[in-house]
């Protein structure tokens, strides 16, 4: 059973960079059929797609986050990562990593990690 | 406000059938398949329906999905107390070139 686990600081200062890593286990991140994605849920709100990365490094991200998002992949560690720059209180959320199939299909999810932006 | 419109809440009594709608447009639901997720607080979202009407292994057949034009629906029959959760639709949007989630529907089992 594929497993994903998010890791990273739970508290980030406003205007700084949020950095999270997702470690994939019981399966390979090198998959021609899947992307690897980030989704977040602000407190009291719904799910928001952040972006996806392929094992080769190609990415898609939500235009609403403009150029603040950077994603990377490390196939040797079976990990992929998210960086979100210039964070504000609006970036406080539960951040999930997930495996993405076609379209909006996310079939395996991490448990999520809460990131709070402090001013 | 999400591009994919879901009712914010729904409710039913045990044993009843409830449906949750998801309305979009030609660039998303109209041209791509719809997936549904069940989200209980403190847990990871769970894929409930994929490709409009397919159930992953382990999902009870009480859950079913359908799509027509630019709208989709999730139906839950034989409602149970453990079905109380938030439900989200999701699809690809060709204009956004990315994934859209609906705003979510909170299902209450009375």
């Amino acid at each position: 059973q594929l497993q994903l686990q998010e890791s990273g600081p739970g508290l980030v200062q406003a205007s700084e960079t949020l950095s999270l890593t997702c470690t994939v286990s019981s399966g390979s991140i090198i998959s021609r059929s899947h992307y690897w994605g980030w989704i977040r849920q602000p407190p009291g709100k719904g799910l928001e797609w952040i972006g996806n990365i392929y094992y080769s490094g190609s990415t898609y991200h939500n235009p609403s986050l403009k150029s603040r998002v950077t994603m990377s992949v490390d196939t040797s560690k079976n990990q992929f990562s998210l960086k979100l720059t210039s964070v504000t209180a609006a970036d406080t959320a539960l951040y999930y990593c997930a495996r993405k199939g076609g379209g909006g299909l996310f079939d395996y999810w991490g448990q999520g990690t809460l990131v709070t932006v402090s001013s | 406000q999400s591009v994919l419109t879901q009712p914010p809440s729904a409710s039913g009594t045990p044993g009843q059938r409830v449906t949750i709608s998801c309305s979009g447009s030609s660039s998303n639901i109209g041209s791509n398949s719809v997936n549904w997720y069940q989200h209980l607080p403190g847990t990871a979202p769970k894929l409930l329906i994929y490709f409009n009407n397919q159930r992953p292994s382990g999902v009870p057949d009480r859950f079913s999905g359908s799509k027509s034009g630019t709208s989709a629906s999730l139906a839950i029959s034989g409602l149970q107390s453990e079905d109380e959760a938030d439900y989200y639709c999701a699809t690809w949007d060709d204009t956004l070139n990315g994934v859209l989630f609906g705003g979510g529907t909170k299902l209450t089992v009375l």
Side-chain angles (χ1 to χ4, degrees):
Chain A
Q1 176 87 343
L2 191 74
Q3 294 184 326
L4 294 89
Q5 179 66 58
E6 306 87 352
S7 59
L11 186 65
V12 181
Q13 296 297 314
S15 79
E16 297 194 344
T17 297
L18 178 160
S19 296
L20 294 174
T21 295
C22 182
T23 301
V24 178
S25 57
S26 300
S28 176
I29 202 169
I30 299 175
S31 169
R32 286 188 170 83
S33 304
H34 300 96
Y35 272 76
W36 303 90
W38 291 97
I39 301 101
R40 69 180 181 179
Q41 183 180 33
K45 296 187 178 182
L47 300 173
E48 179 186 29
W49 173 70
I50 298 171
N52 307 323
I53 187 166
Y54 197 54
Y55 75 90
S56 64
S58 64
T59 61
Y60 291 91
H61 67 268
N62 193 326
S64 71
L65 296 169
K66 297 182 181 177
S67 58
R68 296 198 297 132
V69 171
T70 303
M71 291 175 286
S72 59
V73 61
D74 187 335
T75 55
S76 67
K77 295 182 179 179
N78 232 30
Q79 294 176 335
F80 61 105
S81 298
L82 169 71
K83 290 188 187 299
L84 183 64
T85 61
S86 304
V87 296
T88 69
D91 295 309
T92 292
L94 195 53
Y95 284 77
Y96 295 99
C97 62
R99 188 179 79 167
K100 180 185 169 305
L105 195 170
F106 295 97
D107 54 359
Y108 289 94
W109 295 67
Q111 284 301 303
T113 187
L114 178 63
V115 178
T116 301
V117 176
S118 169
S119 55
Chain B
Q1 191 166 349
S2 177
V3 174
L4 298 182
T5 303
Q6 296 181 236
S9 63
S11 63
T13 56
Q16 267 191 333
R17 183 178 186 270
V18 297
T19 61
I20 297 171
S21 62
C22 177
S23 178
S25 67
S26 58
S27 65
N28 42 69
I29 293 179
S31 50
N32 296 284
S33 60
V34 178
N35 310 281
W36 290 91
Y37 299 89
Q38 179 189 60
H39 192 199
L40 291 99
T43 70
K46 173 186 174 183
L47 180 65
L48 209 56
I49 297 288
Y50 66 99
F51 293 167
N52 302 324
N53 55 19
Q54 301 299 301
R55 282 186 309 276
S57 174
V59 172
D61 60 6
R62 301 187 296 106
F63 295 91
S64 62
S66 64
K67 183 185 115 170
S68 178
T70 59
S71 293
S73 291
L74 172 71
I76 308 171
S77 59
L79 199 61
Q80 299 179 4
S81 58
E82 56 260 40
D83 298 333
E84 190 162 285
D86 295 324
Y87 292 85
Y88 293 88
C89 58
T91 188
W92 185 263
D93 187 283
D94 296 334
T95 301
L96 173 71
N97 204 26
V99 178
L100 284 176
F101 283 97
T105 299
K106 184 175 183 60
L107 175 64
T108 302
V109 181
L110 302 169

